[in-house]
Amino acid sequence: MNSLMILGATGLVGGHALAQATADPRVGRIVAPTRRPLDPPRPGVENPPLDVAALEPGAPWWSVDAVICALGSTRREAGSAEAFRALDHGAVVEALGIARRHGCRVAAVVSSVGADADARALYLRTKGQMELDAARLGFESLTLLRPALLEGDRPRTRPLERAAGVAMRTLAPLVPRRYRAVRAERVAHALLASVIAARPGVHIVESELL
């Protein structure tokens, strides 16, 4: 792969994806647009500024072979249902669309277990609608990952998710495999593997396969 973009590189999954990509000899140029500069900086990684509320479709760094999208939040983090949807649906689909128009052929996107465009729950409905719209962009290869609760050291503390993680680990033997917590680095590995393999078509990877 000559070039790879990682969106969400300062987050839990995106950070692991960036670390794995920089260590993989199969990946050439890496572009990691972020709101704040990477800290610490990653030698050899292009790190242009990114404002998800005002994306710059004309920027030349959108021209890549493949894109990994790990952008995402929660309603609580975003501050409102509208702000959450603007990021997890609007910004994700817009960014993927810009990359596609610049010639990107391959994409892998983090969604959620239970994603369903017709779900009553805002989070799952938003993720499901994002999946549908991403699939309409015409990527030659698109992989949608649906992890359950993510485990790992987050850049920002989420007390409720930390408590939920403890509960899920305690109850793991009683929980169906699809809904068990999954390590963030495993999700990142699956993202990277999917864009390198670039299997034609649209593929959904459920949490139990991660």
Side-chain angles (χ1 to χ4, degrees):
M1 180 193 309
N2 292 326
S3 55
L4 169 66
M5 177 181 292
I6 300 175
L7 297 168
T10 57
L12 178 59
V13 172
H16 282 294
L18 178 60
Q20 293 175 21
T22 55
D24 195 316
R26 295 171 295 179
V27 180
R29 168 176 166 251
I30 299 175
V31 184
T34 56
R35 183 169 63 88
R36 298 182 305 275
L38 294 172
D39 184 20
R42 298 283 184 133
V45 175
E46 295 179 38
N47 183 213
L50 179 73
D51 180 357
V52 294
L55 297 174
E56 299 181 37
W61 43 262
W62 288 104
S63 296
V64 292
D65 298 318
V67 58
I68 285 173
C69 183
L71 290 172
S73 64
T74 63
R75 179 172 177 169
R76 180 176 180 177
E77 280 188 335
S80 68
E82 293 74 17
F84 165 71
R85 181 174 170 78
L87 174 59
D88 284 57
H89 176 276
V92 168
V93 174
E94 184 180 1
L96 291 172
I98 294 172
R100 182 72 189 97
R101 292 193 295 274
H102 278 260
C104 182
R105 301 176 298 104
V106 180
V109 186
V110 179
S111 182
S112 170
V113 65
D116 183 345
D118 296 319
R120 295 184 65 182
L122 172 69
Y123 187 85
L124 300 181
R125 185 171 68 252
T126 300
K127 294 296 187 181
Q129 292 169 348
M130 177 275 291
E131 289 185 355
L132 290 178
D133 288 337
R136 295 185 179 113
L137 294 174
F139 285 101
E140 295 175 20
S141 173
L142 173 65
T143 302
L144 301 163
L145 274 66
R146 292 178 172 178
L149 183 71
L150 295 169
E151 284 190 325
D153 297 324
R154 293 184 178 277
R156 298 181 300 277
T157 302
R158 290 177 173 177
L160 291 178
E161 287 194 354
R162 186 169 60 245
V166 172
M168 289 291 283
R169 286 191 294 274
T170 302
L171 299 172
L174 305 176
V175 176
R177 185 172 176 82
R178 175 167 295 185
Y179 301 101
R180 295 178 189 175
V182 58
R183 295 292 302 177
E185 53 263 47
R186 289 172 57 188
V187 179
H189 176 79
L191 288 166
L192 184 59
S194 67
V195 295
I196 290 174
R199 290 190 300 143
V202 178
H203 309 277
I204 294 177
V205 181
E206 299 287 359
S207 194
E208 66 267 28
L209 299 178
L210 296 172

